[in-house]
Structures are given as C-alpha cells and as structure tokens.
Amino acid sequence: HILGAGMVRPTRSTDRDAPVVTSVSTMEGTQKTLVAQAADVAGEVAAVEWSADGRSWHPMKRDLSKTDQWIMEMPLPRGELWFRAIDDSLNIGKERHFKESSEL
C-alpha cells in the first residue's frame, strides 16, 4: 500500500464509548415531526436512526441549525418506535423507546 506525498496512515480509533439518544419528543406545534437529541462523550454523533419494529432501521435528518438534533418529518407510525445513535467510530448506542403521545 503506497501513500501519496504528505499522506499519513490513519490510526485505529480508541473510542469505545457508544453515543446516547438523550431525548425524543414531538416538535412543538406539530404531531407529525419527531425530534431526537443525541450526544457522544468521546467523539461525534454521526447519525440517529429510528425503527418501528426494532429490526429495520431508517436514518433521521440532521437538524443543521442545532448540531445535537435529528428530525423525522412524516406521518408518524402508530404505536411504539425505537431510536439509536451511531458515532463517528461506528459505535452503536442502546435503543431508546418512544411511545406515541409520550415524551422521553
């Protein structure tokens, strides 16, 4: 493997701490938008995903005006939803449960 001039071989990440979805709520004034907040102590949160069945995961959109928030705009699935965060070292956080008409 040849590196170009001025390039340095990357080192393996030492980040083993998974990110956390800290809250999930409906956006004020609407029942069709969910907002998830996430944090990571040792790196950056790269993505937040949601699932209606705990098996199939779908990405949320990052709220560019607030770096710790992700949004889901759509007719919300009825019942329970799960959320998880993934950091820039590909650590996957524990799932956070959200039930319709509740705020976590």
Side-chain angles (χ1 to χ4, degrees):
H1 304 296
I2 299 173
L3 294 175
M7 297 181 80
V8 178
R9 185 171 306 283
T11 58
R12 175 172 269 152
S13 173
T14 59
D15 177 5
R16 302 287 181 253
D17 297 318
V20 177
V21 174
T22 57
S23 70
V24 177
S25 60
T26 55
M27 184 175 281
E28 191 173 320
T30 177
Q31 291 296 318
K32 295 188 179 196
T33 302
L34 283 179
V35 177
Q37 290 186 296
D40 188 35
V41 296
E44 293 288 325
V45 176
V48 174
E49 299 176 320
W50 69 274
S51 175
D53 61 11
R55 293 183 306 270
S56 300
W57 292 92
H58 312 281
M60 295 181 76
K61 292 191 304 186
R62 189 169 209 157
D63 183 346
L64 296 178
S65 67
K66 297 180 181 172
T67 59
D68 66 340
Q69 289 189 0
W70 283 258
I71 56 175
M72 181 171 83
E73 297 172 322
M74 59 182 263
L76 300 179
R78 288 255 187 239
E80 300 176 335
L81 297 175
W82 289 265
F83 295 84
R84 68 183 185 185
I86 302 166
D87 71 11
D88 56 350
S89 295
L90 300 180
N91 297 311
I92 299 174
K94 290 184 180 179
E95 298 166 8
R96 184 169 183 113
H97 182 252
F98 177 86
K99 191 168 185 173
E100 186 179 10
S101 77
S102 70
E103 184 172 334
L104 300 178

